[in-house]
Amino acid sequence: MFATLLTALLVASNVHGYTGVQRSGNMVYRVIHGSPADKAGLRGNDKIVSVDGGPVHQLDGPCGENVEVDIKRNGEILHFTIERLPKDEVYK
């Protein structure tokens, strides 16, 4: 019983979360309307320069956690904090 409960807790804690950013490489080409990325202020044509202070990698990850994103827009570096939410809340 303990092993089953532990497995359930581990699975629940690793539910995948989404930001609503659609990108090609480091370029954002679309931000889903009403998504966490949209609410944070990301826009199409933003260039992602870092994720969580390091190289650009996957923006999606554990649900409920935030991801720190630095982007370049019109020559200026901007910082955003984006919450990861369940897929059905992002892609309505």
Coordinates of all heavy atoms in Angstrom, one line a residue:
M1 N 0.8 -1.2 0.0 CA 0.0 0.0 0.0 C 0.9 1.3 0.0 O 0.6 2.2 -0.7 CB -0.9 0.0 1.2 CG -1.9 1.2 1.2 SD -3.2 1.0 2.4 CE -3.1 2.5 3.2
F2 N 1.9 1.3 0.8 CA 2.8 2.4 0.9 C 3.5 2.7 -0.5 O 3.5 3.8 -0.9 CB 3.9 2.2 1.9 CG 4.9 3.4 2.0 CD1 4.5 4.6 2.6 CD2 6.1 3.3 1.4 CE1 5.4 5.6 2.6 CE2 7.0 4.3 1.5 CZ 6.6 5.5 2.1
A3 N 3.9 1.6 -1.2 CA 4.5 1.8 -2.5 C 3.5 2.4 -3.5 O 3.9 3.2 -4.3 CB 5.0 0.5 -3.0
T4 N 2.3 2.0 -3.4 CA 1.2 2.5 -4.3 C 1.0 4.0 -4.1 O 0.9 4.8 -5.0 CB -0.1 1.7 -4.2 OG1 0.2 0.3 -4.4 CG2 -1.1 2.2 -5.1
L5 N 0.9 4.3 -2.8 CA 0.7 5.7 -2.4 C 1.9 6.6 -2.9 O 1.8 7.7 -3.4 CB 0.5 5.9 -0.9 CG 0.4 7.3 -0.4 CD1 -0.8 8.0 -1.0 CD2 0.2 7.3 1.1
L6 N 3.1 6.1 -2.7 CA 4.3 6.8 -3.1 C 4.4 7.0 -4.6 O 4.7 8.1 -5.1 CB 5.6 6.1 -2.6 CG 6.9 6.7 -2.9 CD1 7.0 8.1 -2.3 CD2 8.1 5.9 -2.4
T7 N 4.0 6.0 -5.3 CA 4.0 6.1 -6.8 C 3.0 7.1 -7.2 O 3.3 7.9 -8.1 CB 3.7 4.7 -7.4 OG1 4.6 3.8 -7.0 CG2 3.6 4.8 -8.9
A8 N 1.8 7.1 -6.6 CA 0.8 8.1 -7.0 C 1.2 9.5 -6.7 O 1.0 10.4 -7.5 CB -0.5 7.8 -6.2
L9 N 1.9 9.7 -5.6 CA 2.4 11.0 -5.2 C 3.5 11.5 -6.2 O 3.5 12.6 -6.6 CB 3.0 11.1 -3.8 CG 1.9 11.0 -2.7 CD1 2.6 10.8 -1.3 CD2 1.0 12.2 -2.7
L10 N 4.4 10.6 -6.6 CA 5.4 10.9 -7.6 C 4.8 11.3 -8.9 O 5.2 12.2 -9.6 CB 6.4 9.8 -7.7 CG 7.3 9.6 -6.5 CD1 8.2 8.3 -6.7 CD2 8.2 10.8 -6.3
V11 N 3.8 10.5 -9.4 CA 3.2 10.8 -10.7 C 2.5 12.1 -10.6 O 2.6 13.0 -11.5 CB 2.2 9.7 -11.0 CG1 1.4 10.1 -12.2 CG2 3.0 8.4 -11.4
A12 N 1.7 12.4 -9.5 CA 1.0 13.7 -9.4 C 1.9 14.9 -9.3 O 1.6 15.9 -9.9 CB 0.1 13.6 -8.1
S13 N 3.1 14.7 -8.8 CA 4.0 15.8 -8.6 C 4.7 16.1 -9.9 O 5.4 17.2 -10.1 CB 5.1 15.6 -7.5 OG 5.9 14.5 -7.9
N14 N 4.7 15.2 -10.9 CA 5.4 15.4 -12.2 C 4.4 15.6 -13.3 O 4.8 15.4 -14.5 CB 6.3 14.2 -12.5 CG 7.5 14.3 -11.5 OD1 8.1 15.3 -11.3 ND2 7.9 13.1 -11.0
V15 N 3.2 16.1 -13.1 CA 2.3 16.4 -14.2 C 2.9 17.5 -15.0 O 3.4 18.5 -14.5 CB 0.9 16.8 -13.6 CG1 0.0 17.3 -14.7 CG2 0.3 15.6 -12.8
H16 N 2.8 17.3 -16.3 CA 3.4 18.2 -17.3 C 2.6 19.5 -17.3 O 1.4 19.5 -17.4 CB 3.5 17.6 -18.6 CG 4.5 18.2 -19.5 ND1 5.8 18.1 -19.4 CD2 4.3 19.0 -20.6 CE1 6.5 18.7 -20.3 NE2 5.6 19.4 -21.0
G17 N 3.4 20.6 -17.3 CA 2.8 21.9 -17.4 C 3.2 22.6 -18.7 O 4.3 22.4 -19.2
Y18 N 2.4 23.5 -19.2 CA 2.6 24.2 -20.4 C 2.6 25.8 -20.2 O 1.9 26.3 -19.4 CB 1.5 23.8 -21.4 CG 1.5 22.4 -21.8 CD1 0.9 21.5 -21.0 CD2 2.2 21.9 -22.9 CE1 0.9 20.1 -21.2 CE2 2.3 20.6 -23.2 CZ 1.6 19.7 -22.4 OH 1.7 18.3 -22.6
T19 N 3.3 26.5 -21.1 CA 3.4 27.9 -21.0 C 2.6 28.6 -22.1 O 2.2 29.8 -21.9 CB 4.9 28.4 -21.2 OG1 5.4 27.9 -22.4 CG2 5.7 27.9 -20.0
G20 N 2.3 27.9 -23.2 CA 1.6 28.6 -24.3 C 2.4 29.2 -25.3 O 1.9 30.0 -26.2
V21 N 3.7 28.9 -25.3 CA 4.7 29.5 -26.3 C 4.9 28.4 -27.4 O 5.2 27.3 -27.1 CB 6.0 29.8 -25.7 CG1 7.0 30.2 -26.8 CG2 5.9 30.9 -24.7
Q22 N 4.7 28.8 -28.6 CA 5.0 28.0 -29.8 C 6.2 28.7 -30.4 O 6.2 29.9 -30.7 CB 3.9 27.9 -30.7 CG 2.7 27.1 -30.1 CD 1.5 27.0 -31.0 OE1 1.4 27.7 -32.0 NE2 0.6 26.1 -30.7
R23 N 7.3 27.9 -30.6 CA 8.5 28.5 -31.1 C 9.2 27.6 -32.1 O 8.9 26.4 -32.2 CB 9.5 28.7 -29.9 CG 10.0 27.5 -29.2 CD 10.7 27.9 -27.9 NE 11.2 26.7 -27.2 CZ 12.4 26.3 -27.1 NH1 13.4 27.0 -27.6 NH2 12.7 25.2 -26.5
S24 N 10.1 28.2 -32.8 CA 11.0 27.6 -33.8 C 12.4 27.9 -33.4 O 12.8 29.1 -33.5 CB 10.7 28.0 -35.2 OG 11.6 27.4 -36.1
G25 N 13.1 27.0 -32.8 CA 14.5 27.3 -32.2 C 14.3 28.3 -31.1 O 13.5 28.1 -30.2
N26 N 15.0 29.4 -31.2 CA 14.9 30.5 -30.1 C 13.9 31.5 -30.4 O 13.7 32.4 -29.6 CB 16.3 31.1 -29.9 CG 17.3 30.2 -29.4 OD1 17.0 29.0 -29.1 ND2 18.5 30.7 -29.2
M27 N 13.2 31.5 -31.5 CA 12.2 32.5 -31.9 C 10.8 32.1 -31.5 O 10.4 31.0 -31.9 CB 12.3 32.8 -33.4 CG 13.6 33.4 -33.8 SD 14.0 35.0 -33.1 CE 12.7 36.0 -33.7
V28 N 10.1 32.9 -30.9 CA 8.7 32.7 -30.6 C 7.9 33.1 -31.8 O 8.1 34.2 -32.3 CB 8.2 33.6 -29.4 CG1 6.7 33.5 -29.2 CG2 9.0 33.3 -28.1
Y29 N 7.2 32.2 -32.4 CA 6.4 32.5 -33.5 C 4.9 32.7 -33.2 O 4.1 33.3 -33.9 CB 6.6 31.6 -34.7 CG 6.1 30.2 -34.5 CD1 4.7 29.8 -34.9 CD2 6.9 29.1 -34.1 CE1 4.3 28.6 -34.7 CE2 6.4 27.9 -34.0 CZ 5.1 27.6 -34.3 OH 4.7 26.3 -34.2
R30 N 4.5 32.2 -32.0 CA 3.1 32.3 -31.6 C 3.0 32.2 -30.1 O 3.6 31.3 -29.5 CB 2.2 31.3 -32.3 CG 0.7 31.4 -32.0 CD -0.1 30.5 -32.9 NE -1.5 30.6 -32.5 CZ -2.3 29.6 -32.2 NH1 -1.8 28.3 -32.3 NH2 -3.5 29.7 -31.9
V31 N 2.1 33.0 -29.5 CA 1.8 32.9 -28.1 C 0.3 32.6 -28.1 O -0.5 33.4 -28.6 CB 2.2 34.2 -27.3 CG1 1.7 34.0 -25.9 CG2 3.7 34.4 -27.4
I32 N -0.1 31.6 -27.4 CA -1.5 31.2 -27.3 C -2.3 32.3 -26.5 O -1.9 32.6 -25.4 CB -1.7 29.8 -26.6 CG1 -0.9 28.8 -27.4 CG2 -3.2 29.5 -26.5 CD1 -1.4 28.6 -28.8
H33 N -3.4 32.8 -27.1 CA -4.1 33.9 -26.4 C -4.7 33.4 -25.0 O -5.2 32.3 -25.0 CB -5.3 34.3 -27.3 CG -6.2 35.3 -26.6 ND1 -5.7 36.6 -26.5 CD2 -7.4 35.3 -26.1 CE1 -6.7 37.3 -25.8 NE2 -7.7 36.5 -25.6
G34 N -4.4 34.1 -24.0 CA -4.9 33.8 -22.7 C -4.0 32.8 -21.9 O -4.3 32.5 -20.8
S35 N -2.9 32.4 -22.5 CA -2.0 31.5 -21.9 C -1.1 32.2 -20.9 O -1.1 33.4 -20.8 CB -1.1 30.8 -23.0 OG -0.2 31.8 -23.5
P36 N -0.4 31.4 -20.0 CA 0.5 32.1 -19.1 C 1.6 33.0 -19.8 O 1.9 34.0 -19.3 CB 1.2 30.9 -18.4 CG 0.2 29.8 -18.5 CD -0.5 30.0 -19.8
A37 N 2.1 32.5 -20.9 CA 3.0 33.4 -21.7 C 2.4 34.7 -22.1 O 3.0 35.7 -22.1 CB 3.6 32.6 -22.8
D38 N 1.2 34.6 -22.6 CA 0.4 35.8 -23.1 C 0.2 36.7 -21.9 O 0.5 37.9 -22.0 CB -0.9 35.3 -23.7 CG -1.7 36.5 -24.2 OD1 -1.2 37.4 -24.8 OD2 -3.0 36.4 -24.1
K39 N -0.2 36.2 -20.8 CA -0.4 37.0 -19.6 C 0.9 37.6 -19.1 O 0.8 38.7 -18.5 CB -1.1 36.2 -18.5 CG -2.5 35.8 -18.9 CD -3.2 34.9 -17.8 CE -4.6 34.5 -18.3 NZ -5.2 33.5 -17.4
A40 N 2.0 36.9 -19.2 CA 3.3 37.5 -18.8 C 3.8 38.6 -19.7 O 4.5 39.4 -19.3 CB 4.3 36.4 -18.7
G41 N 3.3 38.6 -21.0 CA 3.7 39.6 -21.9 C 4.6 39.2 -23.1 O 5.1 40.0 -23.9
L42 N 4.8 37.9 -23.3 CA 5.6 37.4 -24.4 C 4.8 37.7 -25.7 O 3.6 37.7 -25.7 CB 5.9 35.9 -24.4 CG 7.3 35.7 -23.7 CD1 7.3 35.9 -22.3 CD2 7.7 34.2 -24.0
R43 N 5.5 37.9 -26.8 CA 4.9 38.2 -28.1 C 5.6 37.4 -29.2 O 6.7 37.0 -29.1 CB 5.1 39.7 -28.5 CG 4.5 40.6 -27.5 CD 4.7 42.0 -28.0 NE 4.4 43.0 -27.0 CZ 4.9 44.2 -27.0 NH1 5.6 44.7 -28.0 NH2 4.6 45.1 -26.0
G44 N 4.9 37.2 -30.3 CA 5.5 36.6 -31.5 C 6.7 37.4 -31.9 O 6.7 38.7 -31.7
N45 N 7.7 36.8 -32.4 CA 9.0 37.4 -32.9 C 9.9 37.8 -31.8 O 11.0 38.4 -32.0 CB 8.7 38.6 -33.8 CG 8.1 38.2 -35.1 OD1 8.4 37.2 -35.7 ND2 7.1 39.0 -35.5
D46 N 9.6 37.5 -30.5 CA 10.5 37.6 -29.4 C 11.6 36.6 -29.6 O 11.3 35.4 -30.0 CB 9.9 37.4 -28.0 CG 9.1 38.6 -27.6 OD1 9.2 39.7 -28.1 OD2 8.2 38.4 -26.6
K47 N 12.9 36.9 -29.3 CA 14.0 35.9 -29.4 C 14.3 35.5 -27.9 O 14.7 36.3 -27.1 CB 15.2 36.5 -30.0 CG 16.3 35.5 -30.1 CD 17.5 36.1 -30.8 CE 18.6 35.0 -30.9 NZ 19.8 35.5 -31.6
I48 N 14.2 34.2 -27.7 CA 14.5 33.7 -26.3 C 16.0 33.6 -26.2 O 16.7 33.0 -27.0 CB 13.9 32.3 -26.1 CG1 12.4 32.4 -26.3 CG2 14.2 31.8 -24.7 CD1 11.7 31.1 -26.3
V49 N 16.6 34.3 -25.2 CA 18.1 34.3 -25.0 C 18.5 33.4 -23.8 O 19.6 32.9 -23.8 CB 18.6 35.7 -24.9 CG1 18.5 36.4 -26.2 CG2 18.0 36.5 -23.7
S50 N 17.6 33.2 -22.9 CA 17.9 32.2 -21.8 C 16.6 31.7 -21.1 O 15.6 32.4 -21.1 CB 18.8 32.9 -20.7 OG 18.1 33.8 -19.9
V51 N 16.8 30.5 -20.5 CA 15.7 29.9 -19.8 C 16.2 29.5 -18.5 O 17.2 28.7 -18.4 CB 15.1 28.7 -20.6 CG1 14.1 28.0 -19.8 CG2 14.5 29.1 -21.9
D52 N 15.6 29.9 -17.4 CA 16.1 29.6 -16.0 C 17.6 30.0 -15.9 O 18.3 29.3 -15.2 CB 15.8 28.2 -15.7 CG 14.3 27.9 -15.4 OD1 13.6 28.9 -15.0 OD2 13.9 26.8 -15.6
G53 N 18.0 31.1 -16.5 CA 19.4 31.6 -16.3 C 20.4 30.8 -17.1 O 21.6 31.1 -17.0
G54 N 20.0 29.9 -18.0 CA 21.0 29.1 -18.7 C 20.6 29.0 -20.2 O 19.8 29.9 -20.7
P55 N 21.2 28.1 -20.9 CA 20.9 27.9 -22.3 C 19.4 27.7 -22.6 O 18.6 27.2 -21.7 CB 21.7 26.7 -22.7 CG 22.6 26.4 -21.6 CD 22.1 27.0 -20.4
V56 N 18.9 28.0 -23.8 CA 17.5 27.8 -24.1 C 17.2 26.3 -24.2 O 17.9 25.6 -24.9 CB 17.2 28.6 -25.4 CG1 15.8 28.3 -25.9 CG2 17.5 30.0 -25.3
H57 N 16.2 25.9 -23.5 CA 15.8 24.5 -23.6 C 14.3 24.5 -23.5 O 13.6 25.6 -23.7 CB 16.4 23.7 -22.4 CG 16.1 24.2 -21.1 ND1 16.7 25.2 -20.5 CD2 15.1 23.8 -20.2 CE1 16.2 25.4 -19.3 NE2 15.2 24.6 -19.1
Q58 N 13.7 23.5 -23.1 CA 12.2 23.3 -23.1 C 11.6 24.3 -22.1 O 12.1 24.4 -20.9 CB 11.9 21.9 -22.7 CG 10.4 21.5 -22.7 CD 9.9 21.5 -24.1 OE1 10.6 21.4 -25.1 NE2 8.6 21.5 -24.2
L59 N 10.6 25.0 -22.5 CA 9.9 26.0 -21.6 C 8.9 25.2 -20.8 O 8.6 25.7 -19.7 CB 9.2 27.1 -22.5 CG 10.1 28.0 -23.2 CD1 9.3 29.0 -24.1 CD2 11.0 28.8 -22.3
D60 N 8.3 24.2 -21.3 CA 7.3 23.4 -20.6 C 8.0 22.5 -19.6 O 9.2 22.2 -19.7 CB 6.4 22.6 -21.5 CG 5.7 23.4 -22.6 OD1 5.4 24.6 -22.2 OD2 5.4 22.9 -23.6
G61 N 7.3 22.1 -18.6 CA 7.9 21.3 -17.5 C 6.9 20.9 -16.5 O 5.7 20.9 -16.7
P62 N 7.4 20.7 -15.2 CA 6.5 20.4 -14.2 C 5.3 21.4 -13.9 O 5.6 22.6 -13.8 CB 7.4 20.3 -12.9 CG 8.7 20.0 -13.5 CD 8.8 20.7 -14.8
C63 N 4.1 20.9 -13.9 CA 3.0 21.8 -13.7 C 3.0 22.5 -12.4 O 3.4 21.9 -11.4 CB 1.7 20.9 -13.8 SG 0.2 21.9 -13.9
G64 N 2.7 23.8 -12.4 CA 2.6 24.6 -11.2 C 3.9 25.3 -10.9 O 4.0 26.2 -10.1
E65 N 5.0 24.9 -11.6 CA 6.3 25.6 -11.4 C 6.4 26.8 -12.4 O 5.8 26.8 -13.4 CB 7.5 24.6 -11.6 CG 7.6 23.6 -10.5 CD 8.8 22.7 -10.7 OE1 9.7 23.0 -11.6 OE2 9.0 21.8 -9.9
N66 N 7.2 27.7 -12.0 CA 7.5 28.8 -12.9 C 8.8 28.6 -13.7 O 9.7 27.9 -13.2 CB 7.7 30.1 -12.1 CG 6.4 30.6 -11.4 OD1 5.3 30.3 -11.9 ND2 6.6 31.3 -10.3
V67 N 8.9 29.2 -14.8 CA 10.1 29.2 -15.6 C 10.5 30.7 -15.9 O 9.6 31.5 -16.1 CB 9.9 28.4 -17.0 CG1 8.8 29.0 -17.8 CG2 11.2 28.3 -17.7
E68 N 11.7 30.9 -15.7 CA 12.3 32.3 -15.9 C 12.8 32.4 -17.3 O 13.6 31.6 -17.7 CB 13.4 32.6 -14.9 CG 13.0 32.4 -13.4 CD 12.0 33.4 -13.0 OE1 12.1 34.6 -13.4 OE2 11.1 33.1 -12.1
V69 N 12.3 33.4 -18.1 CA 12.7 33.5 -19.5 C 13.2 34.9 -19.8 O 12.5 35.9 -19.4 CB 11.5 33.2 -20.4 CG1 11.8 33.3 -21.9 CG2 10.9 31.8 -20.1
D70 N 14.4 35.0 -20.4 CA 14.9 36.3 -20.9 C 14.7 36.3 -22.4 O 15.1 35.3 -23.1 CB 16.4 36.5 -20.5 CG 16.6 36.6 -19.0 OD1 15.7 37.3 -18.4 OD2 17.5 36.0 -18.5
I71 N 14.2 37.4 -22.9 CA 14.0 37.5 -24.3 C 14.6 38.8 -24.8 O 14.8 39.8 -24.0 CB 12.5 37.4 -24.7 CG1 11.7 38.6 -24.1 CG2 11.9 36.1 -24.3 CD1 11.3 39.6 -25.1
K72 N 14.9 38.9 -26.1 CA 15.4 40.1 -26.7 C 14.2 40.6 -27.7 O 13.8 39.8 -28.5 CB 16.6 39.8 -27.6 CG 17.3 41.0 -28.1 CD 18.6 40.7 -28.7 CE 19.4 42.0 -29.0 NZ 20.7 41.6 -29.6
R73 N 13.8 41.8 -27.4 CA 12.8 42.5 -28.2 C 13.3 43.9 -28.6 O 13.5 44.7 -27.7 CB 11.5 42.5 -27.4 CG 10.3 43.1 -28.2 CD 9.1 43.3 -27.3 NE 8.6 42.1 -26.8 CZ 7.8 42.0 -25.7 NH1 7.5 43.0 -25.0 NH2 7.4 40.8 -25.4
N74 N 13.3 44.2 -29.9 CA 13.8 45.5 -30.3 C 15.1 45.9 -29.7 O 15.3 47.1 -29.3 CB 12.7 46.5 -30.0 CG 11.4 46.2 -30.7 OD1 11.4 45.8 -31.8 ND2 10.3 46.5 -30.0
G75 N 16.0 45.0 -29.6 CA 17.3 45.3 -29.1 C 17.4 45.3 -27.5 O 18.5 45.5 -27.0
E76 N 16.3 45.2 -26.8 CA 16.3 45.2 -25.4 C 16.1 43.9 -24.8 O 15.3 43.1 -25.3 CB 15.2 46.2 -25.0 CG 15.1 46.4 -23.5 CD 14.0 47.4 -23.1 OE1 13.3 48.0 -24.0 OE2 13.8 47.6 -21.9
I77 N 16.8 43.5 -23.7 CA 16.6 42.3 -23.0 C 15.5 42.5 -21.9 O 15.6 43.4 -21.1 CB 17.9 41.8 -22.3 CG1 19.0 41.6 -23.4 CG2 17.6 40.5 -21.5 CD1 18.8 40.5 -24.4
L78 N 14.5 41.6 -22.0 CA 13.4 41.7 -21.0 C 13.3 40.3 -20.3 O 13.6 39.3 -20.8 CB 12.1 41.9 -21.8 CG 12.0 43.2 -22.6 CD1 10.7 43.2 -23.5 CD2 12.1 44.4 -21.8
H79 N 12.9 40.4 -19.0 CA 12.8 39.2 -18.2 C 11.3 38.9 -17.9 O 10.6 39.8 -17.5 CB 13.6 39.4 -16.9 CG 13.5 38.2 -16.0 ND1 14.3 37.1 -16.2 CD2 12.7 37.9 -14.9 CE1 14.0 36.2 -15.2 NE2 13.0 36.7 -14.5
F80 N 10.9 37.6 -18.0 CA 9.6 37.2 -17.7 C 9.6 36.0 -16.8 O 10.5 35.1 -16.9 CB 8.8 36.8 -19.0 CG 8.7 38.0 -20.0 CD1 9.6 38.2 -20.9 CD2 7.6 38.8 -19.9 CE1 9.5 39.3 -21.8 CE2 7.5 39.9 -20.8 CZ 8.4 40.1 -21.7
T81 N 8.6 35.9 -15.9 CA 8.3 34.7 -15.1 C 7.0 34.2 -15.6 O 6.0 34.9 -15.6 CB 8.3 35.1 -13.6 OG1 9.5 35.6 -13.2 CG2 8.0 33.8 -12.8
I82 N 7.0 32.9 -16.0 CA 5.8 32.3 -16.6 C 5.5 31.0 -15.8 O 6.3 30.2 -15.6 CB 6.1 31.9 -18.1 CG1 6.6 33.1 -18.9 CG2 4.8 31.3 -18.7 CD1 7.1 32.8 -20.3
E83 N 4.2 31.0 -15.4 CA 3.7 29.8 -14.7 C 3.4 28.7 -15.7 O 2.8 28.9 -16.7 CB 2.5 30.1 -13.9 CG 2.0 29.0 -13.1 CD 0.8 29.3 -12.2 OE1 0.2 30.4 -12.5 OE2 0.4 28.5 -11.4
R84 N 3.7 27.5 -15.4 CA 3.3 26.3 -16.2 C 2.0 25.8 -15.7 O 1.8 25.6 -14.5 CB 4.4 25.2 -16.1 CG 5.7 25.6 -16.7 CD 6.8 24.6 -16.3 NE 8.0 24.9 -17.0 CZ 9.2 24.7 -16.4 NH1 9.3 24.3 -15.2 NH2 10.3 25.0 -17.1
L85 N 1.0 25.6 -16.6 CA -0.3 25.2 -16.2 C -0.6 23.9 -17.0 O 0.0 23.6 -18.0 CB -1.3 26.2 -16.5 CG -1.2 27.5 -15.7 CD1 -2.3 28.5 -16.2 CD2 -1.4 27.3 -14.3
P86 N -1.7 23.2 -16.5 CA -2.1 22.0 -17.3 C -2.5 22.3 -18.7 O -3.0 23.4 -18.9 CB -3.3 21.5 -16.5 CG -3.2 22.1 -15.1 CD -2.5 23.4 -15.3
K87 N -2.3 21.4 -19.6 CA -2.6 21.6 -21.0 C -4.0 22.1 -21.3 O -4.2 23.0 -22.1 CB -2.3 20.3 -21.8 CG -2.4 20.4 -23.3 CD -2.0 19.2 -23.9 CE -1.9 19.3 -25.4 NZ -1.5 18.1 -26.1
D88 N -5.0 21.6 -20.6 CA -6.4 22.0 -20.8 C -6.7 23.4 -20.4 O -7.7 24.0 -20.8 CB -7.4 21.0 -20.2 CG -7.3 20.9 -18.7 OD1 -6.3 21.3 -18.1 OD2 -8.3 20.4 -18.1
E89 N -5.8 23.9 -19.5 CA -6.0 25.4 -19.1 C -5.3 26.3 -20.1 O -5.6 27.5 -20.2 CB -5.5 25.6 -17.7 CG -6.4 24.9 -16.6 CD -5.9 25.3 -15.2 OE1 -5.4 26.4 -15.0 OE2 -6.0 24.4 -14.4
V90 N -4.3 25.8 -20.8 CA -3.6 26.6 -21.7 C -4.2 26.6 -23.1 O -4.3 27.7 -23.8 CB -2.1 26.2 -21.8 CG1 -1.3 26.9 -22.9 CG2 -1.4 26.3 -20.4
Y91 N -4.5 25.4 -23.6 CA -5.0 25.3 -25.0 C -6.5 25.0 -24.9 O -7.0 23.9 -25.1 CB -4.3 24.1 -25.7 CG -2.9 24.3 -25.8 CD1 -2.0 23.8 -24.9 CD2 -2.4 25.1 -26.9 CE1 -0.6 24.0 -25.0 CE2 -1.0 25.3 -27.0 CZ -0.1 24.8 -26.1 OH 1.2 25.0 -26.2
K92 N -7.3 26.1 -24.6 CA -8.8 26.0 -24.5 C -9.4 26.1 -25.8 O -9.1 26.7 -26.7 CB -9.3 27.1 -23.6 CG -8.7 27.0 -22.2 CD -9.2 28.2 -21.4 CE -8.5 28.2 -20.0 NZ -8.9 29.3 -19.2

